[in-house]
Amino acid sequence: MFLFELCMRQLTIKKIQLTLAAFLCIWVTSFSQYTAADYTPLKSSGLIPDLFLQSAKTMSEDEIRLLQSAKTAGQIAEDKKVKEDKSNFIKESNYYLRRTLLSGNVLINDPLGIYVNKVADNLLKNNPELRASLHIFVIKSTEVNAHAYDKGVILVNVGLLAQLENEAQLAYILSHEIAHVIKKHSVSLYVERAKFERTKNDNDTYDSRIEARFTFSKENESEADMVGLNLLKATGYSIKAVDGAFDVLQYSYLPFELVDFKKSFFEDEYLTLPDTFFLKKTADIKSNDNYDDSKSTHPNIRKRRSAIAPELNVNDEADRKHYIVSEEEFKNVRETARFELCRLYLLERSYVSAIYASYILLNSYPDNFYLKKTIAKALYNLIIYKSPIQRYKDQITLPAYRDYSVRDYKKIEGPSQGLFYTLGSLNTKELNTIALWYTYKLHKAYPADLILNNLTDSLFSEMIYVNELYLNDFSKLSKAELKALDTIKVADSDPDSKYSTIKSQRIKSDIASDKSFILYAFAGLLKDDEFTERYLKIAHGLNKKREPKPLSVAEQKVADKEARLALDRPRNAFLGIDKVILPDPFYKKSYLDGKNDNIDYYETEDNKNRMIDIQKKCLDKLQMNYHAFSSVTLQANDIEKYNTYSVLNEWMNERFKHGSNNDAVVTVTDDVKKVIDQLGCKYIVWNGIYNIKGARYRNSYYFALLNLENGTVLKYDTDFAKGNDYTDVVNELVYDSFFHVNKTKKQK
């Protein structure tokens, strides 16, 4: 999926701390009370950093000039090829760094980032020059990891902060990443790889080249472990905590806590799940720290522990601490990261993980609405992806991003395996029943929430349209109530007839069996007038839609032809829309060299800026209104615009992952509703160009128009043509797309 790009402006660390000190103090003291009832997703604040306002081209040209004029310590000019490799690395790394920073996923001046920077301050308090050269941010990712760029940018994942046990572990992981920056490991790896490619011979196999590259990378990682440890030793942090940091990395594939999922969570006096849907014993945790690392960039954990173990014995360990900044602040940061993780799992379509993480936190925050709503969204999307039907054959859909499936429970270790087994074992009718039972009860507790209200209606529709379960299919009495009856009466039957006897016996058999547990799930809800009225109303509406006037053979042929045309109507539809939200387009300009697709980084950035200008000129010519989120015009004080962009970016990326699944709910729907109200616009554009020299089609143009309210794709165009991406060509493609968005058929 392509990410829209924005820019930001860098403040010094001290400015960040001064700007947000008061806010952080309030946040630390009020966090527990705040999250007991709800949670607000992380947002950026303050000023946008200077670091991100520079274009990748400008940054690269400045760095390359310094490189070309520099000499080695021995005053001997570096090899020309090495400097060329380093120049190429600078272009590439700045391009991808900028894409990451402009993705909307990097948080600016948020509580987590402020705390991480405080830990870095303690690490490097005796090296202010190095500290001033580092820019540390938290990034919204579920991976238990951190990453460093040679130019001093360090990104710490939310997933890592959710797993840590103490501040000293974070300090060591930061010191490891700082070591990568000090030693310039990224550029050295790039140069080594380029050198190997130039000197390889015919006897070198693919495996041998990969092994050589990974061997060099593992050497860098081992060096970073040791240099990082030396940085930590110069502080007051515990050295023994380093071993715990390796535990965090070794068991990073497990949830942040190991909690047994109790079947009672999806049960009440009416709905009881059979024991067959639950594992008697979950798999033991068997993590192997001595795994095969021959094709890994890092040595395995056992090797890393063994190499560093002799250095962990220090004489002053008793005087060292697990917390220097604040234990309370660390725990608040970790808890925030765990709440944020529930949302990020939804964005990634890891629905079972989202439910399990929310379930863990509900043990501490049983009244938290955010966690309960996360579970409702996850259950709904599980149903949509499990549904066997083909949806909306007459609607425009996006290409599938990738296949989706619930992870095989056999590949899961620990207590969470039980939940993967349960949700994977339920069929669509059973899962739909549980989701409706759960979501409707949540809706009753929070009747003003529009998202829950819409989810409830959608689950009713799914019950009727997909699973063909109507009110009469459910018992109004619980199993216990039916068992207590002396006789079971069958409606509209002679009680003395053999048919009544047979039906009564079958009901008794169903009561004794676990197979029909869903038939009694709504016995309590059927006493609720709203539940029955909504069920009947939606059933009536769907049946009305499903009973069209019969068509003749000739009429059916025409209808079939129109349906086929509707699937391929990128140029034929006139939508009459006069206002759109316009994020930056994507652009990629590259050339083929054998099997390699080499990006021209400078041309890519320049042509993207050109396309931004072209789009605005086309919209102005059509007299269309638009809200542009352009990296060209963003200023340091545009933090709210950046937050809006981040929401739109998350919505767009998740919507594209859903692909043709138009019914799937997008996680950030609540926040997008606020954006729609703020901007007075619900239509968003996604478009861009791939220009590849040497390919069959040199220009690949894409244009999509989507409705933010419901995720509907109103227009999806693709255009493939030979030739270069001249301004006139791009202008024609862009204008044609917006012309059909703006005009109506009568205006043509």
Side-chain angles (χ1 to χ4, degrees):
M1 176 59 205
F2 310 106
L3 301 177
F4 303 122
E5 302 178 342
L6 286 179
C7 303
M8 300 174 273
R9 179 163 294 180
Q10 176 67 29
L11 287 176
T12 64
I13 297 301
K14 289 192 175 182
K15 280 185 180 178
I16 293 172
Q17 292 173 343
L18 288 172
T19 304
L20 296 167
F23 163 75
L24 183 58
C25 182
I26 295 171
W27 174 78
V28 169
T29 57
S30 65
F31 180 86
S32 296
Q33 182 180 357
Y34 175 67
T35 56
D38 205 353
Y39 171 71
T40 301
L42 291 169
K43 290 185 177 180
S44 298
S45 63
L47 297 176
I48 297 175
D50 271 342
L51 173 67
F52 308 166
L53 272 183
Q54 304 174 59
S55 69
K57 182 177 180 180
T58 299
M59 287 190 291
S60 298
E61 287 177 338
D62 290 344
E63 292 173 29
I64 289 172
R65 270 195 296 271
L66 288 174
L67 173 69
Q68 296 298 335
S69 62
K71 294 185 178 181
T72 63
Q75 298 298 306
I76 301 173
E78 281 190 293
D79 178 82
K80 184 178 179 180
K81 278 293 182 183
V82 172
K83 282 197 173 183
E84 184 179 329
D85 293 337
K86 287 186 176 181
S87 296
N88 291 334
F89 168 79
I90 289 170
K91 294 178 185 178
E92 183 176 312
S93 62
N94 281 331
Y95 172 79
Y96 285 108
L97 171 61
R98 185 171 169 79
R99 283 191 61 179
T100 300
L101 296 175
L102 306 181
S103 68
N105 293 324
V106 177
L107 290 158
I108 305 167
N109 303 338
D110 65 294
L112 275 60
I114 292 171
Y115 170 73
V116 170
N117 274 283
K118 283 184 177 182
V119 176
D121 290 343
N122 274 292
L123 269 173
L124 299 174
K125 63 182 179 181
N126 295 323
N127 194 340
E129 186 177 351
L130 174 59
R131 179 66 188 97
S133 70
L134 299 177
H135 313 282
I136 305 175
F137 303 93
V138 169
I139 185 168
K140 292 179 281 186
S141 170
T142 62
E143 288 187 31
V144 182
N145 204 356
H147 182 69
Y149 289 82
D150 279 0
K151 66 189 296 102
V153 176
I154 296 176
L155 302 175
V156 179
N157 293 357
V158 168
L160 173 65
L161 296 174
Q163 293 272 10
L164 293 171
E165 294 179 305
N166 55 61
E167 186 179 295
Q169 291 177 355
L170 172 61
Y172 176 65
I173 291 172
L174 282 175
S175 67
H176 174 95
E177 298 304 326
I178 293 169
H180 280 309
V181 175
I182 294 171
K183 295 297 182 179
K184 304 295 181 187
H185 282 153
S186 293
V187 66
S188 62
L189 180 61
Y190 185 95
V191 170
E192 186 71 15
R193 183 177 62 189
K195 180 180 177 182
F196 182 83
E197 289 297 318
R198 285 196 299 271
T199 58
K200 68 182 180 182
N201 56 58
D202 295 338
N203 295 325
D204 293 323
T205 64
Y206 174 79
D207 286 342
S208 67
R209 295 198 298 273
I210 293 296
E211 184 177 352
R213 185 192 308 174
F214 287 162
T215 297
F216 188 79
S217 176
K218 283 194 275 282
E219 291 172 357
N220 287 346
E221 292 300 328
S222 297
E223 184 178 31
D225 281 345
M226 199 62 67
V227 173
L229 179 60
N230 290 331
L231 286 173
L232 194 71
K233 284 182 176 180
T235 72
Y237 282 114
S238 167
I239 301 302
K240 296 295 185 184
V242 172
D243 194 59
F246 283 121
D247 285 336
V248 171
L249 299 177
Q250 180 179 346
Y251 298 104
S252 61
Y253 64 96
L254 296 171
F256 51 78
E257 283 185 16
L258 302 179
V259 176
D260 289 325
F261 187 88
K262 296 179 180 178
K263 67 191 295 282
S264 59
F265 186 78
F266 287 133
E267 292 182 327
D268 61 13
E269 59 181 304
Y270 305 105
L271 174 60
T272 304
L273 276 66
D275 290 337
T276 53
F277 285 104
F278 294 86
L279 291 173
K280 293 181 179 179
K281 186 181 183 304
T282 55
D284 294 333
I285 296 168
K286 305 174 182 177
S287 178
N288 175 22
D289 64 352
N290 196 29
Y291 52 85
D292 179 13
D293 59 6
S294 60
K295 294 184 179 179
S296 172
T297 56
H298 290 58
N300 66 42
I301 297 296
R302 182 177 297 183
K303 291 176 182 176
R304 294 177 72 179
R305 284 185 197 270
S306 299
I308 208 168
E311 302 295 327
L312 298 184
N313 295 317
V314 292
N315 296 326
D316 60 343
E317 178 62 28
D319 298 325
R320 292 177 174 273
K321 300 176 181 179
H322 283 90
Y323 302 95
I324 294 179
V325 174
S326 166
E327 181 176 359
E328 181 185 9
E329 194 170 341
F330 168 81
K331 290 180 178 178
N332 287 336
V333 162
R334 183 176 64 182
E335 203 78 339
T336 303
R338 291 177 174 183
F339 270 81
E340 188 71 15
L341 205 56
C342 298
R343 192 180 72 88
L344 297 179
Y345 280 137
L346 285 180
L347 289 170
E348 293 181 357
R349 301 189 300 171
S350 300
Y351 300 123
V352 183
S353 295
I355 294 172
Y356 187 74
S358 299
Y359 174 80
I360 294 171
L361 291 169
L362 278 170
N363 289 325
S364 300
Y365 307 93
D367 299 321
N368 188 275
F369 174 54
Y370 162 83
L371 298 173
K372 294 175 182 178
K373 191 173 177 180
T374 296
I375 292 174
K377 290 178 180 179
L379 286 171
Y380 175 77
N381 276 350
L382 279 174
I383 293 166
I384 295 302
Y385 277 98
K386 205 164 189 175
S387 174
I389 70 165
Q390 180 70 34
R391 299 168 183 274
Y392 300 114
K393 294 182 180 179
D394 61 339
Q395 288 192 10
I396 300 173
T397 60
L398 296 170
Y401 176 77
R402 66 180 181 212
D403 292 336
Y404 168 84
S405 63
V406 177
R407 289 175 63 194
D408 182 358
Y409 80 94
K410 295 177 183 177
K411 297 179 180 179
I412 308 295
E413 296 176 4
S416 65
Q417 185 190 45
L419 183 61
F420 278 89
Y421 176 80
T422 299
L423 294 177
S425 300
L426 294 165
N427 63 36
T428 54
K429 291 183 178 181
E430 293 161 344
L431 187 58
N432 200 162
T433 301
I434 291 170
L436 179 55
W437 168 89
Y438 180 88
T439 305
Y440 182 79
K441 290 170 72 173
L442 191 58
H443 154 71
K444 293 294 285 187
Y446 302 93
D449 189 88
L450 295 177
I451 304 301
L452 280 179
N453 189 62
N454 293 336
L455 280 178
T456 303
D457 278 347
S458 296
L459 288 167
F460 277 129
S461 300
E462 196 77 8
M463 290 289 282
I464 299 160
Y465 178 62
V466 177
N467 293 309
E468 299 183 342
L469 289 172
Y470 296 83
L471 279 180
N472 290 338
D473 293 318
F474 298 96
S475 172
K476 293 183 179 180
L477 299 176
S478 68
K479 276 192 174 186
E481 291 170 328
L482 286 169
K483 287 178 180 178
L485 295 177
D486 293 332
T487 58
I488 296 175
K489 297 180 181 179
V490 180
D492 302 324
S493 296
D494 182 351
D496 296 323
S497 73
K498 70 175 183 179
Y499 304 109
S500 178
T501 303
I502 292 170
K503 291 178 181 179
S504 297
Q505 289 175 345
R506 289 183 62 185
I507 293 174
K508 289 179 180 178
S509 176
D510 285 342
I511 295 171
S513 169
D514 281 338
K515 294 181 179 178
S516 55
F517 74 94
I518 64 172
L519 302 183
Y520 310 96
F522 300 148
L525 295 178
L526 289 173
K527 298 177 176 65
D528 184 314
D529 290 340
E530 182 192 350
F531 183 85
T532 56
E533 288 171 6
R534 289 178 73 167
Y535 210 130
L536 290 170
K537 181 180 179 181
I538 291 174
H540 176 71
L542 285 175
N543 284 333
K544 207 170 181 184
K545 290 179 182 178
R546 294 170 66 185
E547 294 176 4
K549 179 183 176 181
L551 299 177
S552 66
V553 174
E555 288 173 331
Q556 187 63 54
K557 286 183 179 179
V558 172
D560 290 342
K561 182 178 180 180
E562 289 178 348
R564 287 194 299 271
L565 288 173
L567 291 172
D568 185 26
R569 52 176 178 170
R571 302 291 179 198
N572 299 332
F574 290 85
L575 304 176
I577 294 170
D578 64 355
K579 182 187 277 190
V580 294
I581 297 171
L582 192 69
D584 279 353
F586 67 88
Y587 213 104
K588 180 181 175 184
K589 194 172 181 69
S590 59
Y591 60 92
L592 291 179
D593 178 14
K595 295 182 179 180
N596 298 318
D597 182 10
N598 301 290
I599 301 174
D600 188 324
Y601 302 111
Y602 288 176
E603 285 291 310
T604 291
E605 191 168 62
D606 288 344
N607 279 279
K608 177 183 171 181
N609 292 336
R610 180 188 60 159
M611 188 170 175
I612 291 172
D613 291 337
I614 288 172
Q615 287 195 145
K616 290 180 179 179
K617 289 177 181 177
C618 289
L619 288 164
D620 290 339
K621 187 174 182 179
L622 288 165
Q623 296 184 329
M624 284 184 70
N625 297 313
Y626 57 91
H627 295 281
F629 292 89
S630 173
S631 59
V632 177
T633 60
L634 199 68
Q635 301 297 316
N637 59 355
D638 286 337
I639 196 68
E640 288 308 314
K641 183 180 284 190
Y642 177 78
N643 282 327
T644 298
Y645 163 73
S646 182
V647 169
L648 294 173
N649 177 72
E650 288 181 341
W651 188 95
M652 190 71 74
N653 278 281
E654 186 182 1
R655 179 62 190 85
F656 267 80
K657 288 177 183 176
H658 289 316
S660 58
N661 247 316
N662 286 345
D663 273 354
V665 65
V666 181
T667 301
V668 294
T669 302
D670 306 77
D671 292 325
V672 163
K673 177 66 169 63
K674 296 175 185 176
V675 173
I676 294 171
D677 293 341
Q678 173 192 343
L679 301 180
C681 181
K682 62 182 179 180
Y683 303 110
I684 188 167
V685 170
W686 172 91
N687 68 333
I689 288 178
Y690 279 150
N691 180 260
I692 305 176
K693 184 178 180 180
R696 181 181 176 188
Y697 296 112
R698 292 192 57 185
N699 282 314
S700 302
Y701 172 71
Y702 301 88
F703 183 96
L705 180 74
L706 300 97
N707 185 328
L708 284 168
E709 282 186 332
N710 54 27
T712 302
V713 185
L714 301 173
K715 185 177 180 63
Y716 181 66
D717 294 348
T718 57
D719 196 305
F720 306 100
K722 293 182 179 180
N724 213 333
D725 54 342
Y726 298 114
T727 298
D728 289 346
V729 173
V730 176
N731 186 81
E732 182 180 353
L733 292 169
V734 171
Y735 185 84
D736 185 71
S737 294
F738 283 112
F739 179 83
H740 284 78
V741 168
N742 178 238
K743 302 301 180 182
T744 62
K745 202 164 188 177
K746 291 181 181 178
Q747 292 174 302
K748 184 176 177 181

